[in-house]
Amino acid sequence: MRADGRPGRRRDWAVTLVVVAALGLGAWAYLTSRGDDSGALWSRLPGGTDVAPATDARYLSECGDCHFAYQPGLLPARGWDRIMATLDDHFGDNAELDPEARTAITEYLIQNAADTSHLRRPAQIVRSIPARDTPLRISEVPYIKDAHKDIPARLVTGNAKVESASHCDACHVQADKGYYNDSNVVIPGHGKWTD
Ligand code: HEC
Ligand code: HEC
């Protein structure tokens, strides 16, 4: 305060700075929470998710036992529905559950499936699948297959530390957080992926 009772210029500046910083932070939080990944700046910032992380405790324990617990946003509801209806013949394994657990997990997957997500990656997944198809494998979804078309087979199926395109978490080091950006990939035995 100056003698005439008006705040000094310095304080005006300080207030302006605080307001600008708050707006910037708000915009950053909004953009990263949308998980947009169009190659824009915010998609490179830490904290941006591509697919909402899997949170249901029962899903994580029942379906994360044999392999990575895929996020529900990686398949449309009709894919999850079919998987959960055929657990006795699950890719050559028997993954049957008691009816109560099966119902609860099916509901969780369907409620959070790719077709219910507002994030960009699930939307791309859904858009890439013809309406007549019901994919059971995320790794066979056209968008996901296309994203990996430049990776030589020797680094995937021919790589003892990866073995299968299904093992997302072998290469995407933050797959469990729902973060699949190609800037954050380390292929075991090969190193960081740079394209
Ligand atoms: C007994 C072991 C086992 C359990 C339990 C299990 N799975 Fe699987 N799952 C497999 C095997 C084996 C594959 C094929 C993996 C491969 O080809 O590399 C697979 C593949 C998958 C795939 C396709 C992966 C891809 O290629 O994109 C999905 C999706 C999947 N499982 C979902 C589930 C769900 C949902 C549950 C829980 C209800 C579950 N799994 C429980 C063994 C299991
Ligand atoms: C062998 C290692 C490996 C495995 C296994 C793998 N990925 Fe990838 N993924 C990559 C690499 C490398 C890229 C970048 C490819 C490029 O830039 O040409 C990529 C790209 C992607 C992209 C696009 C990223 C971007 O920034 O555009 C998505 C989405 C993705 N992977 C999801 C998955 C999912 C889901 C799984 C499991 C079903 C999976 N990946 C399994 C290595 C892998």
Side-chain angles (χ1 to χ4, degrees), residues 50-67:
D50 293 322
V51 182
T55 50
D56 185 86
R58 184 132 69 161
Y59 172 71
L60 291 171
S61 73
E62 299 286 4
C63 304
D65 218 18
C66 301
H67 51 66

Side-chain angles (χ1 to χ4, degrees), residues 37 70 74 121 138-139 143-144 147-148 150-151 155-156 162 164-168 171-172 180-182 185 187 193 195:
D37 182 31
Y70 307 102
L74 291 171
R121 274 242 217 254
I138 296 154
S139 54
Y143 166 71
I144 296 290
H148 298 96
D150 295 334
I151 310 170
L155 298 182
V156 192
V162 178
S164 160
S166 309
H167 299 160
C168 323
C171 307
H172 292 276
Y180 291 98
N181 199 292
D182 59 10
V185 178
I187 301 184
W193 178 265
D195 52 357

Side-chain angles (χ1 to χ4, degrees), residues 23-138:
L23 285 174
L25 202 67
W28 178 77
Y30 172 71
L31 290 170
T32 53
S33 74
R34 289 195 330 160
D36 199 323
D37 182 31
S38 46
L41 176 65
W42 57 80
S43 71
R44 307 280 160 192
L45 295 170
T49 40
D50 293 322
V51 182
T55 50
D56 185 86
R58 184 132 69 161
Y59 172 71
L60 291 171
S61 73
E62 299 286 4
C63 304
D65 218 18
C66 301
H67 51 66
F68 171 62
Y70 307 102
Q71 285 87 12
L74 291 171
L75 268 189
R78 63 187 189 279
W80 289 124
D81 198 38
R82 174 102 38 105
I83 284 178
M84 295 304 289
T86 54
L87 287 177
D88 58 334
D89 182 16
H90 180 75
F91 306 95
D93 269 9
N94 186 340
E96 254 181 314
L97 294 170
D98 66 73
E100 199 249 322
R102 182 161 62 94
T103 306
I105 291 174
T106 306
E107 265 171 34
Y108 166 70
L109 288 168
I110 287 177
Q111 277 166 15
N112 296 281
D115 21 20
T116 68
S117 173
H118 65 287
L119 297 175
R120 187 165 173 267
R121 274 242 217 254
Q124 282 170 310
I125 285 173
V126 170
R127 238 181 295 136
S128 78
I129 305 170
R132 62 177 185 281
D133 290 352
T134 299
L136 300 186
R137 281 189 181 271
I138 296 154

